[in-house]
Every structure is written in structure tokens, then in C-alpha cells.
Amino acid sequence: MYSRERRIRKKKLSFVLPLLIAALVVVGAIFLLRWIFQPGTQPTPNNQPVASFFLSSGKARVLLPSGTSYSVEADPTPTSLNVGEGLESIGDTRIEVTLQDGSIVRLDGNSALKLDTYQTSNNKKQIALSLDRGAAWVKTAGSSLDFLTVKGKNSQITAKQSAVFAINRESDTDTYRGIQNTVEVRVFDQTADKTVGEVYNLGLGQQIEVTGETVAALKSGNTMQLLNLLDESFRSSAWYKYNTARDNNDTPVNGSTTNNSSVEENQNESTNPGGDESVIETTSDGPTVKVTSFTAGDTVTTSPITLRGTVSKDAVKVVVDDYILQKYVPGSGTWYYIASATSGGNLFKGKNIFKMYAIDGNGKKGPVLEFPLTYNPNANTSTATTSSTGSLKAPGISTNSGKSYATSEAKIDLKGTIDSSVQKVFVNGYQLQKYTPGSGTWLYYAYEEYGTLKAGNNTFSVYGVDAGGKKTPTASITITYTKSSTGSGTTTP
């Protein structure tokens, strides 16, 4: 009887087992075909570079997942950054990181971040970074399909569209600032790994500060108002001015601020004025700085403006708002500084306080001069009016006879003619600093390295303004630029 039951059980098993195996084969085949023909979530392997960074001065350190690290010196060749690796700026070095999707992350001096994850799912990119310390400025290039998240100590910020935001982490405090478009901020209970409180929509001109106390209060069920207006001290900081200038393509990656017509037209430099502040001694007998072009408290209505002044002959450096004046000549006794509401990002509506000082050859830092100016563009809205037809001619464009064209050259000298009565010439809203009134000609440098020429279509609009504030008609030309391995010369077709 027992043997018969065993034979029956074996027959049943011999019948069921092939069916199970066949079912597994079918299911496996289905998953394999879906994996081949339908894009699923594909994490990027740790050994595949998904970012690169560049520094033209100073040093950086790459932290490997194994715990080891290596240093990177200033080099024109970008260095790759892989998933799981960290990046640290050493000293005052500022670093610009470009992610695979085109997003830009800038690290301030003495800051560190880590590239946590990078994966794609159904053409959607999901990127996660961690800011371990310091300050970062993020400009995302994503669409509604893309996500970029930056984690702090107790919170994280996520952009689901093209956006610009700043994050600062000090100890257990995360500060987020909205610069462009809206992003999400979540506060986390790290022990439970969950969001506490609501999801905050951080918009333009707003900021949120999250501390350990914030997390504790939200965990206890307290309601908190975290959204505040962007503090003015941040708007006037060198870090804000540097990044807004970079976003406007007016500052090379090493930090020197340039205006759009020529790299030589602006002497502003966004670098640390003295390196190690501990070696600079502020003394009352140090070199002094004065402003002669304006009176303290004046109101200006145009942009850009040029601050000019005098300085002690023993000064070897003049610093304005943390910018070293690169064109200052030691011993000359004079200096100038350009402030712009658009291209430089260092002139703001309302009251501006410019802080300036000088340093002598022995490292003595003179007294700091705080010089107030008010910028009110609305007070001058009627001064630049378009002239009646025939009173002022539209500018002439001689480059390619004024006809739109395509090129692979990375440097283009745009040239043309202008009515001799014109006092100011503007190209895409930027006033040409080297234009000589009455000369009848104008020149603008459209160079990729200056950020004034980009891949794709570039439209350049030119107009002039005479002494009476009359504006000429506008002339335009569109240049389609395609990058080429050989197209590196200057062309004036």
C-alpha cells in the first residue's frame, strides 16, 4: 500500500514539474523581451563617468568610494566624476561641475559634495547629490521628465524642471534659496527615513532654513512657517554676484568677470582678495581708497556705471566687494570698477553699498570704505525713446553683409557702421564700452570662450542712442554656430 502511494505521488510530481519549468521559462522570456525592447530603469555603473569638472586655479580633491582620494591641480582638461565619488574644493578654489544631462553645479571654496546616484527610466533622468559642507549653486538643464536632488543634513531640494537654486550647509543647518523657477524642499526625520511636515515649494526670491530644531518641532506636530524672503546680504554677497555673472555668461570659470564685448573691457575679478585672511592685517595707517566719480548717496538711472577714484600710491591691490581689480596699476593712484544690473549682476535696484579697501606690499589692509549708491532705472524710462523714421538711421552690419549665416568658427568679430551722432551702442542690451562716439563704427566680439556665442542660433540685435536720448531703429543678424574640432579661429566674413 505504501509503495503504491509513493508511485502515485511520483506520477503527480512528474506531471507538475515540467509545467512549472515551462511556466518559468515563459515568464523569464517575457521579462527578457521587455528588458530588450522597452527601456526600464538603468542605473549607471559606478565606473562610468556621468559628470566632469574643471578648475583653472587652485586645487581640488576627488574622494573615491574605497576611502582613498587624489588631488587635482588646475588644468584646462576636465576631470571626470563617477557615481559614488566625492569632490572637495581646497581652500578658496571654486569648481564648476557639468553633469551628463547638462546641469551645472558650482562649488564655493572649502565645500564638498558627493554624486550619489544617476539613473535613467523611460528617458527620465534622476540625479542625486549630497552637499557635505559649504555652498553650492545649481543650474539644472532638465525638463519635466528630469529630476535633480541635492541632499543636505536634514532635508533635500528637488528640481523637476529647469531651475536655479542655491544651497548652503553649515553643521546641521541647511539653507535653500530660490533663484529661478520653483523647486521642492522636504524636511526629513533621518531616523525614520521619512518626510516630516509639508513639502515646501520654494519660489523665486524665497529661502528656507532647516535645522535640527526644525526637524524636532515638525516631528512633534508643530506647524512652522519656513518660507521667508531672500535675505539682502546674500544678494550682495560675492558668491551671488559671481554665479549670476556666470549664468549670464559674463564670467569665465576661473572667476574673472568680463563684459560681453571684450574680456579686456572689465577689470572686475571674483577671487579671494588675500588668500589666507589671517595674514592680512587691517590697520588705520594702511592704504586708503576714495571715490571721485560719484557722491555718497547719489541716485543713478543707467546701467552699467563706472566707479572711479583715488588710492594711496603704496597700494598693490584694490578690492571692491571682494573683487580684485585686475586692471589696477600699483603706484598709479587711480582705480575704476564697473557695476552692471544685467551683465555683471553687481548693481541692484534700490540701495547699493559698495565696500572697498586697499592692501599694501607688506600685506596691510587699509580701512574699509562703504559707499552707498541708489539705482533707480524707472527714473530714466523716458530718456531713451525710439526716434521718428529718418531722424536716425539703423546701425549697419558689415559682417557677412548683414545677412544671417551658419559657421563653425568659435570667434566672430561683429562689425558695422553707426550714425555719427550716436553716443552709445548696445548689442543684445549690453553697452559697448570701447565704442568711440562720432567714430561711425562699432565692434562686438561674439566668442564662445566669452559666452557670447553658443551652439545653435545666436541673434544679435544692435541699436544706438544719441545725446538727446533718442534710440535708433534696431538691426539684427542671426548666426548659427556649429562646434567643430577645427573651427577655432576668428572670422569676419
Side-chain angles (χ1 to χ4, degrees):
M1 184 70 178
Y2 175 72
S3 299
R4 185 180 175 210
E5 288 180 355
R6 287 187 61 187
R7 284 196 299 270
I8 293 173
R9 200 179 303 128
K10 282 183 179 181
K11 287 181 180 180
K12 289 181 178 180
L13 287 176
S14 62
F15 175 74
V16 173
L17 188 59
L19 291 178
L20 289 175
I21 294 174
L24 290 173
V25 170
V26 171
V27 172
I30 292 173
F31 276 102
L32 179 62
L33 290 172
R34 289 188 62 187
W35 183 82
I36 293 174
F37 294 106
Q38 295 183 11
T41 300
Q42 303 293 328
T44 301
N46 285 350
N47 60 354
Q48 181 179 339
V50 297
S52 62
F53 65 91
F54 170 79
L55 58 156
S56 61
S57 62
K59 293 182 179 181
R61 182 180 294 114
V62 176
L63 310 174
L64 302 177
S66 62
T68 61
S69 65
Y70 64 90
S71 297
V72 178
E73 302 279 349
D75 192 288
T77 304
T79 301
S80 63
L81 191 68
N82 304 332
V83 171
E85 294 180 345
L87 180 62
E88 179 182 30
S89 58
I90 300 176
D92 299 310
T93 300
R94 284 174 175 168
I95 306 173
E96 183 159 309
V97 182
T98 302
L99 298 175
Q100 199 176 69
D101 71 336
S103 297
I104 300 295
V105 180
R106 300 190 192 100
L107 274 185
D108 199 6
N110 295 305
S111 301
L113 63 75
K114 182 183 177 183
L115 180 53
D116 293 325
T117 61
Y118 186 105
Q119 63 183 27
T120 59
S121 177
N122 298 323
N123 297 322
K124 180 187 296 181
K125 302 179 184 67
Q126 298 184 20
I127 308 168
L129 307 169
S130 294
L131 183 67
D132 295 331
R133 70 171 185 277
W137 183 282
V138 182
K139 183 178 182 181
T140 70
S143 66
S144 59
L145 295 176
D146 300 322
F147 297 83
L148 190 149
T149 297
V150 183
K151 300 177 182 178
K153 171 67 174 178
N154 300 298
S155 51
Q156 69 180 37
I157 186 169
T158 301
K160 297 182 179 179
Q161 60 180 339
S162 179
V164 180
F165 58 88
I167 174 174
N168 182 270
R169 177 178 172 183
E170 294 183 7
S171 186
D172 73 336
T173 301
D174 303 327
T175 304
Y176 304 97
R177 296 179 171 96
I179 311 299
Q180 179 180 311
N181 290 336
T182 301
V183 290
E184 294 181 352
V185 174
R186 295 175 182 267
V187 182
F188 279 99
D189 174 6
Q190 301 287 11
T191 57
D193 191 25
K194 67 176 183 179
T195 304
V196 292
E198 61 182 296
V199 176
Y200 300 89
N201 291 315
L202 180 69
L204 170 67
Q206 295 179 322
Q207 72 177 43
I208 288 179
E209 185 175 281
V210 180
T211 66
E213 294 179 353
T214 304
V215 178
L218 291 174
K219 285 175 63 178
S220 300
N222 295 330
T223 301
M224 302 186 68
Q225 174 59 42
L226 295 184
L227 281 172
N228 294 297
L229 293 178
L230 193 65
D231 57 85
E232 288 302 317
S233 61
F234 178 73
R235 286 185 182 274
S236 61
S237 68
W239 179 236
Y240 177 87
K241 294 177 181 180
Y242 167 76
N243 283 289
T244 52
R246 286 288 299 128
D247 286 349
N248 290 326
N249 297 305
D250 299 317
T251 307
V253 73
N254 63 359
S256 64
T257 301
T258 64
N259 282 322
N260 281 349
S261 64
S262 170
V263 73
E264 296 179 351
E265 289 188 3
N266 197 329
Q267 38 89 67
N268 303 344
E269 175 76 14
S270 176
T271 57
N272 186 287
D276 185 357
E277 286 291 340
S278 64
V279 302
I280 301 178
E281 178 186 3
T282 302
T283 63
S284 59
D285 60 343
T288 57
V289 178
K290 293 182 179 179
V291 178
T292 58
S293 57
F294 297 96
T295 300
D298 278 355
T299 296
V300 296
T301 58
T302 60
S303 170
I305 62 170
T306 303
L307 291 171
R308 300 182 184 273
T310 59
V311 64
S312 304
K313 292 291 185 71
D314 60 341
V316 297
K317 292 182 182 179
V318 177
V319 181
V320 181
D321 282 349
D322 292 335
Y323 290 79
I324 298 175
L325 306 190
Q326 294 297 294
K327 288 193 174 181
Y328 165 70
V329 179
S332 65
T334 61
W335 59 272
Y336 73 93
Y337 174 82
I338 297 174
S340 171
T342 55
S343 60
N346 51 357
L347 182 65
F348 304 93
K349 289 183 181 180
K351 188 176 182 180
N352 295 256
I353 298 180
F354 298 93
K355 297 180 181 180
M356 55 200 73
Y357 61 88
I359 302 172
D360 67 14
N362 296 319
K364 286 185 179 180
K365 175 181 173 181
V368 177
L369 172 65
E370 295 189 358
F371 193 84
L373 279 179
T374 298
Y375 174 50
N376 182 9
N378 296 327
N380 198 37
T381 54
S382 62
T383 60
T385 58
T386 302
S387 63
S388 59
T389 303
S391 60
L392 283 175
K393 294 181 180 179
I397 300 176
S398 58
T399 301
N400 201 43
S401 300
K403 298 178 181 178
S404 299
Y405 69 103
T407 182
S408 61
E409 298 297 333
K411 297 181 179 181
I412 301 171
D413 290 350
L414 282 177
K415 296 180 179 181
T417 57
I418 195 77
D419 194 296
S420 59
S421 64
V422 165
Q423 297 296 303
K424 300 177 182 179
V425 178
F426 295 84
V427 178
N428 288 352
Y430 168 74
Q431 182 181 340
L432 303 185
Q433 300 296 302
K434 287 189 175 181
Y435 166 71
T436 302
S439 66
T441 61
W442 59 271
L443 171 64
Y444 178 86
Y445 299 121
Y447 288 9
E448 182 183 25
E449 64 181 290
Y450 297 163
T452 53
L453 183 68
K454 299 180 180 179
N457 292 332
N458 299 261
T459 299
F460 302 96
S461 299
V462 189
Y463 68 87
V465 178
D466 69 8
K470 290 183 178 180
K471 178 181 174 183
T472 71
T474 300
S476 299
I477 183 174
T478 298
I479 300 176
T480 303
Y481 170 54
T482 303
K483 290 188 178 183
S484 170
S485 58
T486 58
S488 58
T490 304
T491 179
T492 53

